[in-house]
Amino acid sequence: MAHIAFVTLFDEWCLGVRSMSSILKQKGHEVSITYFRDMAALNDTEGIEDPEGYHNPPGSVHSRDIRALLDHIRALQPSLLGFSFMSNFHGLVCVLTEHVRREFPRLPIIWGGSDPTINPDLAVKHADYVCQGEGEEAIVDLVEALAAGTTIQSIPNIWVKTPEGFIQNPPRHTQKDLDVYPFTDFEQSGKWYLHAGKAEQGVYPPSSHLHTNYPTLTSRGCPYSCSFCCNSNYRDLYGSANYVRRHSVDYVIREMKYRKETFPNLGFIEFHDDVFTFKSSWLQEFSKRFGEEIGIPFFAYTHPTMCRNEDLEALHRAGWTVTVMGVQSGSEEILKMYDRRTARQRIIDTVHLLRRIGVQLVIDLIGNNPLETEDNMRETFEMLLEFPDDYTLHEVNPLALYRNFEITRIAEERGFNGHLLHGRNAFLAEEKLSYRFWNAMWTLTQFGAIPRETLRDMSHDPYLQEHPEIVEGMAKAFIKSCYIPGTMVRKEARLQQLENERQCLEGSRAFRLINRIRRARSYLVSHLTIKNGNTNQPPLRASG
Ligand code: SF4
């Protein structure tokens, strides 16, 4: 039996690692998963003055956490160590790997996740093995070959470092039937949360969603391949025919029932499928069964061109309360560059449809695109003005040009020359005044308190264009006053929800009981007051 220790970076959900863990355990191996810092610690500046730490947002760490990781590995004594990460943590994982190598020179190290999949040539300079793509079968083959001492040179999906360079094995076929996989490993045993210089067993980070929410996937792969997204690389790797797959509805319902039994405070499900709203027949069957057999509110992503009225309504009836939809731009020219050939009007219609159905909409927009013109940014602004004025846009994502992404190739062809984001395998454009101005103007369109005409006037004001800090200040103030801090929940919507809950409670047995107790209490108070002839009796309390 082997012992595989996975380390995840600022990611306690780590669905890919949890899936591999379940399969390895099924094969009789021991697995531990260490959440090296958590999502809430992203962009943390803690320990910024520690000269031995790693300081490079979003993944800065104090040296005491690096030392704690080494102590933790010493205590675990794994036979294979795996780092799973995205490009933003490439530099951090290089540093951690160097430390581990110095301390444990005989411990084999494997890297996996989206960055090593897209940049295996870089990864194999640091790790002994690189898992390219989905890892369930590949990790089992590797672990068993290492344990048996047989050849590890020709395992599909695994790149191997050799004294002469590396061996690049071909990708294996994707697993077509996802139902053969066991449920992801959310058992508390063998899980560690590493922070503040120590590793704690069996706990989730304090501000993690995982205390009440269960994150999962019903599918793998995305039906689209946007040029700024890793999915276009994955599609190239696997080929279109084998890429998008989905669990059966029956599997998903069984999984949900199991989680209801095993997640003590489960109150919300997060479906992290790249796009959830595809395949009408599946959605209809899922909605019916989920509503009847599970009945827990849930989140799922959607896409402007994959929103059939009947499907969205069925999902909403089943408990779909909030969605994130990528809009990215209101300029058809820019959407074409992103390989998202969506008519502008189609986006507007979908936003109104979601509003009518009653699903809270959060949109994603991309800003700071060095290939975008002033006219393109104004087109986005004009489109947002046609949205209902209660959608949510928290932050505009600056376009990161990741190494080996299609959009990066396009930008290079057009002469873009940005600055390299150290340790993140990406380039970023210099932030221009015009980006700042338009980002803030876009943000303001979600607040109905500002008349559309006022926003239009502001958008033409040369003084504001030269002083974007004024509009940025307004946008920040509106966000602060309209949203519950640290959430995407509008205060107004929360109050309405509480009012609805109060009205539901009014008819309930519990509410009637409380009222009866209240009435009894008033009766006793008045009775005793009259009897004792004064009003200074200590207040009576309803028991229980
Ligand atoms: S729709 Fe979303 S997940 Fe799919 S390729 Fe585009 S950006 Fe990526």
Side-chain angles (χ1 to χ4, degrees):
M1 182 181 76
H3 177 182
I4 303 91
F6 289 109
V7 178
T8 67
L9 284 297
F10 295 82
D11 175 17
E12 64 272 19
W13 298 353
C14 52
L15 297 180
V17 164
R18 289 181 192 274
S19 179
M20 288 187 286
S21 174
S22 289
I23 290 178
L24 285 162
K25 283 179 167 180
Q26 205 177 48
K27 301 278 178 191
H29 301 292
E30 186 184 348
V31 182
S32 53
I33 301 177
T34 301
Y35 324 127
F36 185 81
R37 308 303 315 273
D38 57 308
M39 288 173 172
L42 282 168
N43 294 312
D44 211 346
T45 52
E46 188 203 2
I48 196 101
E49 274 146 28
D50 168 15
E52 288 167 22
Y54 176 84
H55 303 297
N56 191 10
S60 296
V61 297
H62 201 284
S63 60
R64 67 177 178 218
D65 289 335
I66 299 175
R67 284 195 300 277
L69 179 65
L70 298 175
D71 291 343
H72 180 55
I73 293 169
R74 187 171 298 107
L76 290 176
Q77 298 197 338
S79 42
L80 177 67
L81 181 72
F83 285 103
S84 172
F85 61 97
M86 297 185 294
S87 293
N88 283 344
F89 306 110
H90 178 263
L92 173 59
V93 177
C94 288
V95 169
L96 295 177
T97 299
E98 270 172 40
H99 279 280
V100 174
R101 281 248 185 271
R102 272 202 296 274
E103 201 88 1
F104 312 100
R106 296 169 65 83
L107 174 62
I109 298 174
I110 182 166
W111 284 12
S114 60
D115 185 68
T117 293
I118 293 163
N119 300 302
D121 54 323
L122 295 185
V124 81
K125 290 181 182 160
H126 303 270
D128 301 298
Y129 310 105
V130 176
C131 179
Q132 194 185 30
E134 293 174 14
E136 282 87 349
E137 283 86 7
I139 191 90
V140 171
D141 287 354
L142 176 67
V143 163
E144 295 189 345
L146 286 171
T150 53
T151 180
I152 44 167
Q153 312 268 310
S154 54
I155 299 173
N157 278 23
I158 300 288
W159 289 40
V160 184
K161 182 154 77 181
T162 65
E164 298 76 39
F166 58 85
I167 298 167
Q168 171 186 350
N169 286 304
R172 66 178 68 212
H173 294 302
T174 49
Q175 174 56 261
K176 282 199 189 113
D177 181 7
L178 296 182
D179 288 6
V180 300
Y181 291 152
F183 301 150
T184 45
D185 176 10
F186 272 89
E187 310 312 318
Q188 288 291 35
S189 62
K191 308 294 181 302
W192 303 80
Y193 167 39
L194 195 148
H195 69 119
K198 60 183 188 300
E200 285 182 79
Q201 189 171 13
V203 293
Y204 290 134
S207 52
S208 175
H209 285 197
L210 293 177
H211 293 283
T212 52
N213 295 11
Y214 171 62
T216 189
L217 294 169
T218 68
S219 64
R220 295 201 187 179
C222 178
Y224 302 93
S225 47
C226 305
S227 60
F228 56 83
C229 174
C230 60
N231 267 298
S232 62
N233 300 64
Y234 280 42
R235 190 179 281 277
D236 289 347
L237 185 69
Y238 288 127
S240 288
N242 306 317
Y243 185 44
V244 181
R245 295 141 291 147
R246 198 163 216 174
H247 283 290
S248 66
V249 170
D250 197 54
Y251 179 100
V252 178
I253 297 296
R254 275 190 287 114
E255 180 190 2
M256 294 303 132
K257 287 183 176 169
Y258 176 67
R259 298 309 180 194
K260 275 179 90 167
E261 281 166 23
T262 51
F263 258 62
N265 301 315
L266 182 63
F268 199 74
I269 310 282
E270 299 180 22
F271 290 109
H272 285 279
D273 305 50
D274 291 320
V275 174
F276 190 82
T277 50
F278 75 92
K279 202 165 178 205
S280 198
S281 55
W282 191 96
L283 295 171
Q284 290 294 336
E285 184 190 347
F286 166 84
S287 301
K288 185 167 183 308
R289 290 198 57 191
F290 190 91
E292 286 169 4
E293 298 175 47
I294 307 300
I296 296 179
F298 65 89
F299 160 88
Y301 290 96
T302 189
H303 186 280
T305 60
M306 218 161 254
C307 282
R308 254 183 88 240
N309 196 353
E310 300 76 16
D311 296 337
L312 302 199
E313 280 175 351
L315 287 169
H316 182 51
R317 280 195 300 276
W320 188 33
T321 56
V322 54
T323 188
V324 172
M325 183 171 81
V327 166
Q328 316 309 4
S329 172
S331 155
E332 289 183 10
E333 184 190 344
I334 297 297
L335 288 173
K336 193 169 158 205
M337 182 193 297
Y338 292 158
D339 214 352
R340 295 173 66 92
R341 290 154 209 263
T342 317
R344 192 172 168 277
Q345 191 55 45
R346 179 89 185 260
I347 300 173
I348 297 168
D349 292 345
T350 303
V351 170
H352 282 275
L353 173 62
L354 286 161
R355 171 73 166 76
R356 201 167 61 246
I357 286 169
V359 177
Q360 189 206 340
L361 171 66
V362 180
I363 68 161
D364 267 345
L365 275 184
I366 295 178
N368 293 30
N369 177 348
L371 308 175
E372 210 169 18
T373 64
E374 193 75 20
D375 285 348
N376 298 143
M377 292 187 275
R378 179 169 290 285
E379 283 177 280
T380 300
F381 173 70
E382 288 295 336
M383 181 187 70
L384 295 175
L385 289 180
E386 293 190 47
F387 284 10
D389 57 15
D390 59 355
Y391 77 94
T392 293
L393 165 65
H394 244 216
E395 257 182 280
V396 177
N397 302 309
L399 179 66
L401 297 160
Y402 288 103
R403 183 176 184 264
N404 281 333
F405 276 31
E406 183 56 26
I407 189 70
T408 311
R409 276 190 278 273
I410 296 171
E412 281 166 359
E413 273 166 26
R414 297 190 187 186
F416 166 73
N417 211 351
H419 69 271
L420 182 66
L421 290 170
H422 174 64
R424 293 169 61 179
N425 281 338
F427 293 89
L428 197 67
E430 292 297 339
E431 195 181 56
K432 291 197 259 178
L433 281 188
S434 61
Y435 299 159
R436 289 177 50 196
F437 172 73
W438 284 111
N439 285 359
M441 288 304 302
W442 295 344
T443 305
L444 286 175
T445 60
Q446 68 192 296
F447 302 111
I450 317 173
R452 290 345 215 175
E453 273 322 300
T454 307
L455 285 173
R456 252 194 207 100
D457 290 345
M458 286 169 64
S459 77
H460 290 288
D461 187 320
Y463 186 80
L464 291 179
Q465 286 175 2
E466 278 167 34
H467 296 88
E469 68 280 4
I470 300 172
V471 194
E472 286 172 334
M474 273 181 77
K476 271 193 199 131
F478 267 93
I479 286 181
K480 200 168 165 206
S481 67
C482 293
Y483 287 96
I484 296 173
T487 74
M488 295 200 188
V489 180
R490 286 184 185 248
K491 290 177 184 167
E492 215 175 287
R494 181 69 186 129
L495 282 175
Q496 185 58 52
Q497 190 190 356
L498 288 172
E499 173 58 19
N500 294 346
E501 282 169 16
R502 190 193 66 78
Q503 283 176 13
C504 287
L505 269 176
E506 254 177 17
S508 72
R509 280 176 60 190
F511 195 84
R512 286 202 300 272
L513 182 65
I514 291 168
N515 270 346
R516 223 177 294 147
I517 292 169
R518 275 205 191 122
R519 279 199 297 276
R521 178 180 178 275
S522 334
Y523 169 79
L524 286 172
V525 169
S526 57
H527 184 71
L528 289 174
T529 304
I530 293 162
K531 220 173 144 187
N532 295 339
N534 70 64
T535 54
N536 293 328
Q537 293 294 320
L540 295 174
R541 285 177 189 281
S543 64

